[in-house]
């Protein structure tokens, strides 16, 4: 297994109408268990927020976590779309000259508790996927993203993540 310092796992603070974001609690548990270096970001379309963290810590493995309000299973997101959209913004490409889609560089194993999808939406989770995946390639890191149901059991998700990462 990689050392804790080689693994960066990030989640987000609450957003829109949600007063809590399950990924913030999962990151706290991940830090308590020393599974990796956990960071919690504001929910913003802010490229530098992500790239500065990657440059500061130089991880070898990066795992993004986002809250999915309607999901029933944890979703392994395999593809980010070059698109950003919010309730206040009608939508635009993240990088004008880039292709429409980008696939993540770390393929996480699935099981009966997970489902694999190719649509991370248009909001900040997708934005972070696109930006972080691009930056991860530049620094030679592997990247994956999970969408977590907002009512998931925090300890179970932290254990699942620890188990997944221990096999890399």
């Amino acid at each position: 297994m990689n050392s804790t310092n080689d693994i960066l796992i990030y989640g987000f603070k609450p957003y829109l109408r949600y007063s809590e974001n399950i990924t913030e609690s999962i990151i706290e548990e991940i830090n308590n268990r020393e599974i990796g270096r956990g960071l919690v970001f504001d929910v913003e379309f802010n490229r530098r927020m992500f790239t500065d963290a990657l440059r500061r810590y130089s991880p070898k493995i990066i795992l993004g976590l986002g809250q999915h309000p309607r999901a029933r299973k944890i979703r392994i997101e395999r593809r980010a779309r070059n698109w950003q959209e919010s309730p206040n913004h009608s939508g635009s490409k993240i990088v004008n000259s880039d292709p429409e889609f980008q696939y993540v560089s770390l393929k996480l194993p699935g099981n009966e508790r997970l489902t694999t999808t190719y649509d991370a939406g248009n909001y900040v989770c997708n934005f972070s996927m696109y930006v972080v995946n691009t930056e991860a390639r530049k620094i030679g890191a592997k990247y994956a993203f999970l969408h977590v149901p907002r009512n998931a059991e925090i300890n179970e998700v932290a254990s699942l993540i620890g188990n997944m990462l221990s096999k890399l």
Side-chain angles (χ1 to χ4, degrees):
M1 182 174 161
N2 293 283
S3 83
T4 300
N5 290 333
D6 290 340
I7 301 170
L8 187 138
I9 306 165
Y10 71 87
F12 292 99
K13 292 181 181 176
Y15 64 101
L16 299 177
R17 70 177 188 268
Y18 300 101
S19 60
E20 295 180 353
N21 188 326
I22 190 167
T23 66
E24 188 172 25
S25 300
I26 293 167
I27 294 299
E28 183 178 338
E29 185 61 26
I30 281 168
N31 284 333
N32 289 340
R33 295 184 189 197
E34 298 181 352
I35 294 170
R37 180 187 312 274
L39 301 176
V40 177
F41 291 113
D42 290 326
V43 178
E44 298 176 0
F45 292 108
N46 180 343
R47 180 186 316 272
R48 284 197 61 196
M49 174 175 65
F50 300 110
T51 59
D52 286 355
L54 298 185
R55 291 177 186 147
R56 182 178 322 119
Y57 297 115
S58 300
K60 293 185 175 128
I61 296 172
I62 306 158
L63 178 62
L65 304 177
Q67 174 175 284
H68 195 294
R70 295 173 309 282
R72 291 194 173 105
K73 287 184 171 185
I74 295 172
R75 297 165 51 125
I76 300 171
E77 301 292 359
R78 296 264 198 245
R79 183 177 75 174
R81 184 173 177 222
N82 186 5
W83 192 257
Q84 59 185 352
E85 192 173 304
S86 73
N88 308 352
H89 184 266
S90 63
S92 64
K93 285 185 106 174
I94 296 168
V95 179
N96 283 330
S97 60
D98 278 7
E100 183 177 4
F101 297 105
Q102 235 186 57
Y103 290 86
V104 297
S105 56
L106 178 60
K107 190 171 183 181
L108 296 173
N111 66 34
E112 68 282 347
R113 295 167 54 194
L114 307 166
T115 187
T116 300
T117 71
Y118 295 85
D119 183 1
N122 298 320
Y123 198 47
V124 175
C125 288
N126 177 71
F127 177 84
S128 80
M129 280 184 70
Y130 201 88
V131 169
V132 173
N133 194 50
T134 299
E135 192 67 22
R137 292 176 195 275
K138 291 178 187 175
I139 65 172
K142 297 288 185 185
Y143 176 69
F145 191 92
L146 299 175
H147 257 134
V148 181
R150 70 184 183 105
N151 62 350
E153 174 26 66
I154 292 162
N155 287 318
E156 286 180 20
V157 175
S159 294
L160 177 75
I161 290 169
N163 186 38
M164 286 173 140
L165 294 175
S166 71
K167 296 176 181 176
L168 300 178

